[in-house]
Amino acid sequence: MRPNPTQKISTNALKVWRITGLLETLLYSIIPVGYFFLNHFLQFPLWLFWCLLGAILIVGMVKIMIIPTLKWRSWRYEVYENEVDLRFGIVVVRRVLIPMIRVQHVDTRQGPLLRRFGLATLTITTAATVHQIPALTEGRAASLRDQISKLTTEADEDV
């Protein structure tokens, strides 16, 4: 059996995922706030407001405190001469091997949060789907992009 990949993504991924979880929780909080104002005009039961607020707080704590840590611990990758090995997932752990001969192109991308923390996502496109390695440092993402591109060219020449 093949050993697990050893390369980890950047620890700054935790900050990005926590901020994303906070923003999503703030977006979800519109539901109890809207319910509270509707309650003022339509006389809905007040206990439902407290249930909604409690649920949002619990979901927010899980999304901000627990999921980013579990997600970061589970993400591993490795680039070999003939394939890219990805391992990720919290409950369902996925293991993906991407043969170099199947890679169509490799690129990096950054959103505002990733750019703020000096991170980038490496995207590997095959004919069937797109694979991503999230939250790599900008330098690491660029060197991996170049390395995979070079290995892909060499794999194409062998065929």
Side-chain angles (χ1 to χ4, degrees):
M1 184 169 170
R2 178 188 294 257
N4 282 330
T6 58
Q7 300 295 313
K8 297 178 182 179
I9 58 176
S10 172
T11 54
N12 281 340
L14 290 168
K15 296 174 188 171
V16 171
W17 290 336
R18 287 187 174 133
I19 291 172
T20 303
L22 175 66
L23 294 174
E24 289 175 359
T25 303
L26 289 175
L27 184 66
Y28 297 151
S29 67
I30 291 173
I31 295 170
V33 170
Y35 183 86
F36 183 78
F37 285 111
L38 283 177
N39 183 34
H40 181 71
F41 296 111
L42 301 174
Q43 303 300 320
F44 290 139
L46 194 57
W47 62 267
L48 191 54
F49 165 75
W50 293 110
C51 288
L52 286 171
L53 189 62
I56 296 297
L57 289 175
I58 290 170
V59 168
M61 288 178 60
V62 169
K63 287 182 89 58
I64 295 168
M65 307 285 283
I66 298 171
I67 288 179
T69 304
L70 294 175
K71 197 172 165 182
W72 183 82
R73 285 183 184 167
S74 71
W75 245 108
R76 298 282 185 275
Y77 69 94
E78 193 86 46
V79 176
Y80 298 106
E81 186 176 325
N82 295 323
E83 61 215 5
V84 178
D85 190 359
L86 307 177
R87 182 185 183 278
F88 56 93
I90 297 172
V91 176
V92 177
V93 177
R94 289 192 62 198
R95 187 85 185 263
V96 178
L97 287 175
I98 308 165
M100 290 297 178
I101 196 164
R102 299 285 182 205
V103 174
Q104 292 184 335
H105 71 271
V106 183
D107 61 358
T108 58
R109 62 185 178 121
Q110 293 178 300
L113 270 178
L114 290 176
R115 193 169 35 251
R116 168 72 177 91
F117 289 99
L119 301 175
T121 297
L122 182 76
T123 303
I124 304 168
T125 304
T126 63
T129 188
V130 176
H131 303 279
Q132 295 181 345
I133 303 175
L136 297 169
T137 60
E138 289 174 327
R140 181 70 181 144
S143 69
L144 270 179
R145 181 193 60 218
D146 295 343
Q147 180 185 2
I148 292 171
S149 176
K150 182 179 176 190
L151 290 171
T152 302
T153 305
E154 291 172 1
D156 286 342
E157 291 172 359
D158 290 342
V159 174

Coordinates of all heavy atoms in Angstrom, one line a residue, residues 1-7 70-71 73-78 84-99 124 126 128-134:
M1 N 0.8 -1.2 0.0 CA 0.0 0.0 0.0 C 0.9 1.3 0.0 O 1.9 1.3 0.7 CB -0.9 0.0 1.2 CG -1.9 1.1 1.3 SD -3.1 0.8 2.6 CE -3.9 2.4 2.6
R2 N 0.5 2.2 -0.7 CA 1.2 3.5 -0.9 C 1.2 4.3 0.4 O 0.1 4.4 1.0 CB 0.6 4.3 -2.0 CG 1.2 5.6 -2.3 CD 0.4 6.4 -3.3 NE 0.5 5.7 -4.6 CZ 1.2 6.1 -5.6 NH1 1.9 7.2 -5.4 NH2 1.2 5.5 -6.7
P3 N 2.3 4.8 0.9 CA 2.2 5.7 2.1 C 1.4 7.0 1.9 O 1.3 7.4 0.7 CB 3.7 6.0 2.4 CG 4.4 5.8 1.1 CD 3.6 4.8 0.3
N4 N 0.9 7.5 3.0 CA 0.2 8.8 2.9 C 1.1 9.9 2.4 O 2.3 9.9 2.7 CB -0.4 9.2 4.2 CG -1.6 8.3 4.5 OD1 -2.4 7.9 3.6 ND2 -1.9 8.1 5.8
P5 N 0.6 10.9 1.7 CA 1.4 12.1 1.3 C 1.9 12.8 2.6 O 1.2 12.8 3.6 CB 0.4 12.9 0.6 CG -0.8 12.1 0.3 CD -0.8 11.0 1.2
T6 N 3.0 13.4 2.5 CA 3.6 14.1 3.7 C 3.6 15.6 3.7 O 3.7 16.2 4.7 CB 5.1 13.7 3.8 OG1 5.8 14.0 2.6 CG2 5.2 12.2 4.0
Q7 N 3.3 16.2 2.5 CA 3.4 17.7 2.4 C 2.1 18.3 3.0 O 1.0 17.8 2.7 CB 3.5 18.1 1.0 CG 4.8 17.6 0.3 CD 6.0 18.2 1.0 OE1 6.1 19.4 1.2 NE2 7.0 17.3 1.3
L70 N -9.7 20.6 11.9 CA -9.8 19.3 11.4 C -9.4 19.2 9.9 O -8.7 18.3 9.4 CB -11.2 18.7 11.6 CG -11.6 18.5 13.1 CD1 -13.1 18.1 13.2 CD2 -10.7 17.5 13.8
K71 N -9.9 20.3 9.2 CA -9.6 20.3 7.8 C -8.1 20.5 7.5 O -7.6 19.8 6.6 CB -10.4 21.5 7.2 CG -10.6 21.6 5.7 CD -11.5 22.7 5.4 CE -11.5 23.1 4.0 NZ -12.4 24.2 3.7
R73 N -5.6 19.6 9.5 CA -4.9 18.3 9.8 C -5.0 17.2 8.8 O -4.2 16.4 8.6 CB -5.4 17.8 11.2 CG -5.0 18.6 12.3 CD -5.4 18.0 13.6 NE -5.0 18.8 14.8 CZ -5.5 18.7 16.0 NH1 -6.4 17.8 16.2 NH2 -5.1 19.5 16.9
S74 N -6.2 17.2 8.1 CA -6.4 16.1 7.1 C -5.8 16.4 5.8 O -5.6 15.4 5.0 CB -7.9 15.9 7.0 OG -8.5 16.9 6.3
W75 N -5.5 17.7 5.4 CA -5.0 17.9 4.1 C -3.5 17.6 3.9 O -2.7 18.1 4.6 CB -5.1 19.4 3.7 CG -6.1 19.7 2.6 CD1 -7.4 20.2 2.8 CD2 -5.9 19.4 1.3 NE1 -8.0 20.2 1.5 CE2 -7.1 19.7 0.6 CE3 -4.9 18.8 0.5 CZ2 -7.3 19.6 -0.8 CZ3 -5.1 18.7 -0.9 CH2 -6.2 19.0 -1.5
R76 N -3.2 16.7 3.0 CA -1.9 16.3 2.6 C -1.8 16.2 1.1 O -2.7 15.9 0.4 CB -1.5 15.0 3.2 CG -1.5 15.0 4.7 CD -0.3 15.6 5.3 NE -0.2 15.5 6.7 CZ -0.8 16.3 7.6 NH1 -1.5 17.3 7.2 NH2 -0.7 16.2 8.9
Y77 N -0.6 16.4 0.6 CA -0.4 16.3 -0.9 C 1.1 15.9 -1.1 O 2.0 16.1 -0.2 CB -0.7 17.5 -1.6 CG 0.3 18.7 -1.4 CD1 1.4 18.9 -2.2 CD2 0.1 19.5 -0.3 CE1 2.3 19.9 -2.0 CE2 1.0 20.5 0.0 CZ 2.1 20.7 -0.9 OH 3.0 21.7 -0.6
E78 N 1.3 15.3 -2.3 CA 2.7 15.0 -2.7 C 2.7 15.0 -4.2 O 1.8 14.5 -4.8 CB 3.0 13.5 -2.1 CG 4.5 13.2 -2.2 CD 5.2 13.6 -1.0 OE1 4.8 13.5 0.2 OE2 6.3 14.2 -1.2
V84 N 0.2 13.2 -9.0 CA 0.0 14.0 -7.9 C -0.9 13.3 -6.9 O -1.9 12.8 -7.4 CB -0.6 15.4 -8.3 CG1 -0.8 16.2 -7.0 CG2 0.3 16.1 -9.3
D85 N -0.5 13.2 -5.7 CA -1.3 12.4 -4.7 C -1.9 13.4 -3.7 O -1.2 14.2 -3.1 CB -0.3 11.5 -3.9 CG -1.0 10.5 -3.1 OD1 -2.3 10.5 -3.0 OD2 -0.3 9.7 -2.4
L86 N -3.2 13.4 -3.6 CA -4.0 14.3 -2.7 C -4.7 13.4 -1.6 O -5.3 12.4 -2.0 CB -5.0 15.1 -3.4 CG -4.5 15.9 -4.6 CD1 -5.7 16.6 -5.3 CD2 -3.4 16.9 -4.2
R87 N -4.7 13.9 -0.4 CA -5.5 13.2 0.7 C -6.2 14.3 1.5 O -5.5 15.2 2.0 CB -4.5 12.4 1.6 CG -5.3 11.7 2.7 CD -4.3 11.0 3.6 NE -4.9 10.2 4.6 CZ -5.4 10.8 5.8 NH1 -5.3 12.0 6.0 NH2 -6.0 10.0 6.6
F88 N -7.5 14.3 1.6 CA -8.2 15.3 2.3 C -9.6 14.7 2.7 O -10.0 13.7 2.3 CB -8.4 16.5 1.4 CG -9.1 16.3 0.1 CD1 -10.4 16.4 0.0 CD2 -8.3 15.8 -1.0 CE1 -11.1 16.1 -1.2 CE2 -8.9 15.6 -2.2 CZ -10.3 15.7 -2.3
G89 N -10.2 15.5 3.6 CA -11.6 15.1 4.1 C -11.6 14.9 5.6 O -10.6 14.5 6.2
I90 N -12.7 15.3 6.2 CA -12.8 15.2 7.7 C -13.5 13.9 8.0 O -12.9 13.0 8.7 CB -13.5 16.4 8.3 CG1 -12.7 17.7 8.0 CG2 -13.8 16.2 9.7 CD1 -13.5 18.9 8.3
V91 N -14.7 13.7 7.6 CA -15.5 12.5 7.9 C -15.2 11.4 6.8 O -14.8 10.3 7.2 CB -17.0 12.8 8.0 CG1 -17.8 11.5 8.2 CG2 -17.3 13.8 9.1
V92 N -15.3 11.8 5.6 CA -15.0 10.9 4.5 C -13.7 11.4 4.0 O -13.5 12.5 3.5 CB -16.1 11.0 3.4 CG1 -15.7 10.2 2.2 CG2 -17.4 10.6 3.9
V93 N -12.7 10.5 4.1 CA -11.3 10.9 3.7 C -11.2 10.4 2.2 O -11.4 9.3 1.9 CB -10.3 10.2 4.6 CG1 -8.9 10.5 4.1 CG2 -10.4 10.7 6.0
R94 N -10.8 11.4 1.4 CA -10.6 11.0 -0.1 C -9.1 11.0 -0.4 O -8.3 11.8 0.2 CB -11.2 12.1 -0.9 CG -12.7 12.0 -0.9 CD -13.4 12.9 -1.9 NE -12.9 12.4 -3.3 CZ -13.0 13.1 -4.4 NH1 -13.5 14.3 -4.4 NH2 -12.7 12.6 -5.5
R95 N -8.8 10.1 -1.2 CA -7.4 10.0 -1.7 C -7.4 10.0 -3.2 O -8.1 9.1 -3.8 CB -6.8 8.6 -1.2 CG -5.4 8.4 -1.4 CD -4.5 9.0 -0.4 NE -3.1 8.9 -0.7 CZ -2.4 8.0 -0.2 NH1 -2.8 7.1 0.6 NH2 -1.1 8.0 -0.6
V96 N -6.8 11.0 -3.8 CA -6.9 11.2 -5.3 C -5.5 11.1 -5.8 O -4.6 11.8 -5.3 CB -7.5 12.5 -5.6 CG1 -7.6 12.8 -7.1 CG2 -8.9 12.6 -5.0
L97 N -5.3 10.3 -6.9 CA -4.1 10.2 -7.6 C -4.4 10.9 -9.0 O -5.3 10.4 -9.7 CB -3.6 8.8 -7.8 CG -3.0 8.1 -6.6 CD1 -2.7 6.7 -6.9 CD2 -1.8 8.9 -6.1
I98 N -3.6 11.9 -9.4 CA -3.8 12.5 -10.7 C -2.6 12.2 -11.5 O -1.5 12.7 -11.3 CB -3.9 14.0 -10.5 CG1 -5.0 14.4 -9.4 CG2 -4.2 14.7 -11.8 CD1 -4.9 15.8 -9.0
P99 N -2.8 11.3 -12.5 CA -1.6 11.0 -13.4 C -1.2 12.2 -14.2 O -2.0 13.0 -14.7 CB -2.2 9.9 -14.4 CG -3.5 9.5 -13.8 CD -4.0 10.6 -12.9
I124 N -5.4 22.1 -10.6 CA -4.9 21.1 -11.6 C -6.1 20.6 -12.4 O -7.1 20.0 -11.8 CB -4.2 19.9 -10.9 CG1 -3.1 20.4 -10.0 CG2 -3.8 18.9 -11.9 CD1 -2.6 19.3 -9.0
T126 N -7.9 18.4 -15.3 CA -7.8 17.2 -16.2 C -9.0 17.2 -17.1 O -9.9 18.1 -17.0 CB -7.8 15.9 -15.4 OG1 -9.1 15.8 -14.7 CG2 -6.7 15.8 -14.4
A128 N -11.6 15.3 -17.0 CA -12.8 15.0 -16.2 C -13.2 16.0 -15.2 O -14.3 16.3 -15.0 CB -12.6 13.6 -15.6
T129 N -12.2 16.6 -14.5 CA -12.5 17.5 -13.4 C -11.4 18.4 -13.1 O -10.3 18.4 -13.7 CB -12.9 16.6 -12.2 OG1 -13.4 17.5 -11.1 CG2 -11.7 15.9 -11.6
V130 N -11.6 19.2 -12.0 CA -10.6 20.2 -11.6 C -10.2 19.8 -10.1 O -11.1 19.6 -9.3 CB -11.1 21.6 -11.6 CG1 -10.1 22.6 -11.0 CG2 -11.4 22.0 -13.0
H131 N -9.0 19.7 -9.8 CA -8.5 19.4 -8.5 C -7.8 20.6 -7.9 O -7.2 21.4 -8.7 CB -7.5 18.2 -8.5 CG -8.1 17.0 -9.1 ND1 -8.9 16.1 -8.4 CD2 -8.0 16.5 -10.4 CE1 -9.3 15.1 -9.3 NE2 -8.7 15.3 -10.4
Q132 N -7.9 20.8 -6.6 CA -7.3 21.9 -6.0 C -6.4 21.5 -4.8 O -6.8 20.6 -4.0 CB -8.3 22.9 -5.5 CG -9.1 23.5 -6.6 CD -10.2 24.5 -6.1 OE1 -10.5 24.5 -4.9 NE2 -10.7 25.3 -6.9
I133 N -5.3 22.2 -4.6 CA -4.6 22.2 -3.3 C -4.7 23.5 -2.7 O -4.2 24.5 -3.2 CB -3.1 21.8 -3.6 CG1 -3.0 20.5 -4.3 CG2 -2.4 21.7 -2.3 CD1 -1.5 20.1 -4.7
P134 N -5.5 23.7 -1.6 CA -5.8 25.0 -1.1 C -4.6 25.5 -0.2 O -3.9 24.8 0.3 CB -7.0 24.8 -0.3 CG -6.9 23.4 0.2 CD -6.2 22.6 -0.9

